Amino acid sequence: MKEKTLIQKFLGTWNTKTIVGVAIGAALFGVLMNYGSIRVFTNTSLTTAMIVPVIVGALFGPLPAAAAAGIGNVIADLIGGWGFWFDWSIGNAVLGLFVGALPLYGAYIEDGIFELKHMIIYAVVVIVGTALAFGLVTPFFTYLWYGGELTITLYQGVVGSVSNIIVLLVAGIPVLKVLAARNAKASNLRRE
Amino acid sequence: MNNGFIINLIPGETFLHKLSGTTKVRLFFVLIIYLIMSFDIRLILPVFVAGLLGLFSLKTDVAALRYIIVFVVAMNILNIVLYYLANPHLGELYFGQETLWFQFTDHYIVTYEEVWFLMSRLLKMLATFLVSLVFILSITPSEMAAGLYNCGIPYKICTVVELAFRYIPDIYRDYQNIKVSMQARGVELDSRKAGVIKRLKQTILILIPLIITSFDRVGDISNAMDLRGFGKGRKRSYYSEHEATADDQKVKIVYLLIAVFDVLYIAAKIIYKIPEVWYPW
C-alpha cells in the first residue's frame, strides 16, 4: 500500500467505513458521557467518553476523531438534558483533533504498533491539547456566545482539564495497549 | 435511565409526529438558538409552557419517562447549588446590585438577585431539556437525517448523525450487559466501596469489550451500506421525508417568525447591549 502523506493522514479517508466509524464513535461518546461518568463539578464529570476520539483517531485519523467528539457531545447534550453547551462541544472537537492524532506520529493501533515512544508522545499531546482546548478554545466561545460567566467556565475548564487528563492517561494508555496487542496477534508475520 | 424509550424508530400518530423531518429540525434549531441567546425569563417562560404542551400532545407513556425527568430535574437543581457554591455573588456580576436576603457566612450570602439569576438559569435549562425531549420523542433518526439534509448539510454528515442515533440504544444495551456481567465477576463500581481512581481503573475493564464490540460492527454496517451503493451519488433523497402538509405550512410560519425574532434579538443585543438577564427591580 502506498504511504499516505501527512495531510491525508490528518484528514482521513472519508469512505463509508470512516463514516460508519465516526457514527459509532459519536454514539459511544454519547452513551459514555451520559452513563459512564463520575461527577466532579457542575457540568463537568470524570467522563470516560474522551477515550472514544482516541480510538476513532487511531483507526481513522484526527479529523474523524474531532467529528466523533463534536457530534457525540451534541448528541450527549440532546439526550442528557443539561442544555446545549456548544462551546464545550467545540472544545471537545478540538481536543479530539489532538488526542486522535495517533497515526501522525506513527502509532498504528490497527497494526498493533503502540510502543513506549508513542505513549510518551501521546501523554504530551494529551496535556497540551487539553490545555489548549479547555483553557483557550472553550472560554473563547463561551465569551462569544454566552458572555459573562467566564469565572465559572474557567473553573470548569481547570477541573475538566485535570479530570480529562487523568482519564486519558490512566484509562487511555491501557486501553490502547490492549487494543494494539489484540491487533498485533493478527499480523506477526515477518518477511524473510 | 433507559434510552430504549427515548429514541423511537417508528413514526407516531400525533400532530408533532406527523410534521415532516425538515419542519421538526428547523423548528428545533430556531428554538435552541432562541433559548441559548436569552437569559430573559419573559422569553423563556412561553417556550417552557409550549414544551410542556408539546410533551403532553405526544401522548407518550409518561410513566416510562418519569425516571429521566426526575433525574434531569434533580441534576439541574444540583448544578444550580454547585453554581451558587462556586460564586455566590453572581447577582452583582449581572445586575450590578445586591439586596441581602439572609446570609450563611460572610462569603455565602443569599441575595434576591442571585436567587433570581439561578431561577432564570434553572428555567432556561429545563426549557432546553423539554424542547430536546419533545424533539427526540417526535422524530425518528431517518427523519432527522432528512431534515438536516434539507438544511443544507452534506448527506454524509447527516448519515453520521442518523447512524449514531440509530445505534445509541444498541450500544447502551451492550454497555449495560457488559457492566452487569463484569460486576458479576467481581468488578466493584459502587462509589461507597471504591475510590475514584480505583473505579476508573475498573471502568477500563468495561470499556475494552465495549469498544471492541462497538467497532467490530463498523465492518458489517459499512459493507452493507457499500453493497447498497451508499456514497456513489452526489445527492440523496430520503424515504421518510414527505411533501409539506397544511400543518407543515402553518408551523413554517411559526418557525420563520421565531427565526426573524432570533436574528433581531441577537442584533439588538450586540448593538444596544441589552443586559444578559432581565431583572425587574
Side-chain angles (χ1 to χ4, degrees), chain A residues 11-163:
Chain A
L11 293 174
T13 34
W14 283 86
N15 55 18
T16 315
K17 208 171 172 189
T18 310
I19 289 170
V20 177
V22 171
I24 296 287
L28 200 54
F29 193 95
V31 168
L32 287 178
M33 191 116 172
N34 279 298
Y35 310 108
S37 56
I38 306 159
R39 182 154 293 275
V40 181
F41 191 70
T42 169
N43 281 5
T44 312
S45 42
L46 202 56
T47 170
T48 45
M50 260 343 268
I51 304 286
V52 175
V54 180
I55 311 293
V56 176
L59 298 177
F60 304 106
L63 197 67
I71 295 174
N73 197 334
V74 174
I75 288 174
D77 286 352
L78 192 60
I79 61 176
W82 42 66
F84 287 87
W85 301 97
F86 291 113
D87 43 349
W88 286 95
S89 302
I90 290 181
N92 274 330
V94 170
L95 183 55
L97 213 55
F98 280 97
V99 298
L102 290 160
L104 292 191
Y105 47 82
Y108 297 104
I109 301 298
E110 241 177 34
D111 302 332
I113 302 171
F114 187 63
E115 290 152 8
L116 187 67
K117 182 179 76 182
H118 303 129
M119 281 179 212
I120 294 165
I121 301 176
Y122 170 75
V124 173
V125 168
V126 161
I127 292 167
V128 172
T130 312
L132 258 177
F134 290 170
L136 212 66
V137 177
T138 299
F140 172 72
F141 282 103
T142 311
Y143 184 73
L144 204 65
W145 288 333
Y146 304 105
E149 311 197 302
L150 266 186
T151 38
I152 287 165
T153 302
L154 284 177
Y155 271 127
Q156 287 179 339
V158 170
V159 178
S161 308
V162 171
S163 63

Side-chain angles (χ1 to χ4, degrees), chain B residues 16 18 27 67 103 177 207 274:
Chain B
L16 282 175
K18 278 186 170 170
L27 184 63
Y67 186 80
Q103 62 184 75
N177 288 342
L207 277 181
I274 299 177

